[in-house]
Amino acid sequence: VTVTQNGELSVDELRVTGGSWTINEALAASNGYEISGGATLVQNAGLTLPSPDILVSNWTWRANLAQNWDTVEIVSGGVVTHDANITDLVFTVTSLLIDGSSRIDVTSKGTLNGPPAYAGGSHGGRGGNYSGASLPTCGDLREPEALGGGGYGRRGGGRVKIVAGSVVLDGSLISSGQTGAYRAGGGAGGSIWLDVGTLSGTGSIRANGAATGSYAGAGAGGRVAIYYDDASGFDLSSGVRTVGGDSPHHASYDGASGTIYLKDNAEALGRVVINNASQGSAGNSTDIATTLVEPIVVNNAKVRFQGAVTSAVLSVTNGVVTLNAEATIADLSQRGGSFTQTTNGLLSVTGMVVSNVNYTQGAGLTADSLSATGGSWAQNATMTVLDDVTMDGGSWVLNTNQVLRTLGVT
């Protein structure tokens, strides 16, 4: 049975077993409700139930406007989503529970109009290029609200914001792009923003870019931001992903990583994580135009810093990093990959430790101490080290204006 409700309606009890009910005008159930049998409730207008609690058990709730509840439980295969291009899905609740069989899933609910030719969709990073460039990155890494960008003929991920006293996430919270196809680029991941008291559970949070078929670029990762009082019961390191999609045609057409922003409310600064996991750094780049003051972690990703960086920590593992703006960093460490200072990338560091890194210095570098092991170093601008320099192995081309005022060179 399919019901489309186009006028205001008040009922004693609402019962929907299978089929679908679309609410286009306010609906009130005064004494109870039962939705079951895999039914779909499409909410485009107000919904009033006897209590401020709602149970989504073995049915799908397409919630296309902001929600305010006391308790929301999504269990027994329940699904919460929104329709394409909806940006109003904000849950403000006291507590949210998603069991292991259930999910909030806005995959493929973002924008459709994508880049020219067959490139992948962009958002937190750039989609894979193919027969034309993908669009620039977009959105705000600290307050993600943008829909994921579409690939060529494919949608990006949607947008979800959750404001809650507590969230128990044993299932999934997903805003990934739509899978591409032959000559159809994958969609980019969308936006997930959590502002919670307590976050716990064994589930996952994903705003991944979509894979694609041959002769097309894959989608980039989206953006996730999590603000919390206590997340000790949730694995933030492995449970949150904004990975770019895979192109089977060639790794160079893969989507870039998106961004993850993690902020303990008791601390002054959050931290920025750019992690392309096993997808690696062969594809497109995560371009950061925002001025960053937070600690930054880069894993297996290609990153271009286009805005100024003033950070206590930049930690890179197997990354391809390009610095295209002025940066002041207390502790810079990198293992594997490459680091390039463009002519705009003036860099000042307190301590710098690089291992097996191919370093290209195109702008001035000032460091209190520098340790470089293996890899290579091409110096094409002034290098000033105020204390110790350790150079162990590797290939060194020190070209112009080298200044070493040091206590010792090993």
Side-chain angles (χ1 to χ4, degrees):
V1 176
T2 299
V3 176
T4 300
Q5 177 204 328
N6 291 322
E8 291 188 10
L9 180 63
S10 295
V11 298
D12 183 50
E13 292 188 4
L14 174 66
R15 296 186 182 276
V16 183
T17 303
S20 67
W21 187 301
T22 299
I23 305 170
N24 290 328
E25 295 288 345
L27 171 62
S30 57
N31 286 324
Y33 73 98
E34 182 179 339
I35 306 172
S36 60
T40 297
L41 184 70
V42 183
Q43 186 188 355
N44 299 318
L47 173 63
T48 302
L49 299 178
S51 78
D53 305 326
I54 189 165
L55 175 67
V56 184
S57 177
N58 189 32
W59 58 277
T60 297
W61 183 13
R62 284 161 49 188
N64 293 325
L65 68 169
Q67 303 292 326
N68 289 272
W69 301 92
D70 187 354
T71 299
V72 175
E73 294 187 0
I74 309 169
V75 300
S76 302
V79 178
V80 175
T81 186
H82 66 65
D83 290 343
N85 290 326
I86 296 295
T87 60
D88 297 329
L89 184 52
V90 179
F91 273 93
T92 302
V93 300
T94 301
S95 64
L96 170 65
L97 167 68
I98 305 174
D99 79 1
S101 67
S102 306
R103 66 192 190 275
I104 295 177
D105 189 350
V106 293
T107 293
S108 309
K109 301 299 185 180
T111 61
L112 178 62
N113 296 328
Y118 310 115
S122 299
H123 184 193
R126 296 192 64 150
N129 297 327
Y130 193 89
S131 188
S134 62
L135 296 176
T137 58
C138 61
D140 187 328
L141 65 84
R142 298 181 185 93
E143 298 182 350
E145 296 184 309
L147 297 171
Y152 186 77
R154 293 295 187 270
R155 290 190 180 275
R159 177 221 171 186
V160 175
K161 181 178 180 181
I162 297 171
V163 180
S166 68
V167 174
V168 179
L169 177 61
D170 290 321
S172 302
L173 180 51
I174 314 170
S175 178
S176 295
Q178 184 180 10
T179 301
Y182 176 81
R183 295 195 183 280
S191 291
I192 298 174
W193 180 359
L194 273 64
D195 190 347
V196 301
T198 302
L199 175 63
S200 63
T202 59
S204 63
I205 300 170
R206 304 193 300 275
N208 293 338
T212 191
S214 297
Y215 304 103
R223 297 194 189 276
V224 173
I226 304 175
Y227 296 76
Y228 57 90
D229 293 334
D230 180 5
S232 58
F234 189 85
D235 189 347
L236 292 173
S237 61
S238 64
V240 185
R241 288 287 182 265
T242 58
V243 176
D246 178 70
S247 173
H249 193 68
H250 195 276
S252 62
Y253 307 131
D254 289 351
S257 172
T259 61
I260 301 169
Y261 188 77
L262 304 173
K263 172 72 165 59
D264 185 329
N265 292 326
E267 298 180 356
L269 296 174
R271 63 186 186 275
V272 177
V273 179
I274 304 165
N275 182 2
N276 218 24
S278 60
Q279 198 61 34
S281 58
N284 216 337
S285 62
T286 304
D287 294 350
I288 307 292
T290 305
T291 297
L292 294 180
V293 297
E294 298 90 347
I296 306 162
V297 177
V298 177
N299 289 327
N300 298 311
K302 181 184 292 182
V303 181
R304 293 191 296 193
F305 293 103
Q306 312 280 34
V309 178
T310 305
S311 178
V313 177
L314 172 58
S315 175
V316 182
T317 303
N318 296 324
V320 175
V321 177
T322 300
L323 183 64
N324 196 36
E326 188 170 343
T328 301
I329 300 168
D331 180 5
L332 191 160
S333 63
Q334 180 167 353
R335 293 185 293 109
S338 66
F339 194 108
T340 300
Q341 289 177 249
T342 71
T343 55
N344 296 320
L346 189 67
L347 176 60
S348 175
V349 299
T350 303
M352 184 172 183
V353 178
V354 293
S355 175
N356 297 316
V357 174
N358 296 321
Y359 199 102
T360 302
Q361 183 197 341
L365 168 63
T366 301
D368 283 7
S369 64
L370 168 63
S371 173
T373 304
S376 64
W377 193 293
Q379 183 216 5
N380 298 304
T382 301
M383 179 195 299
T384 303
V385 182
L386 304 178
D387 201 337
D388 287 339
V389 178
T390 301
M391 300 177 179
D392 186 3
S395 173
W396 296 85
V397 179
L398 305 179
N399 292 325
T400 60
N401 300 323
Q402 183 186 22
V403 179
L404 295 178
R405 296 192 295 272
T406 70
L407 296 177
V409 177
T410 304

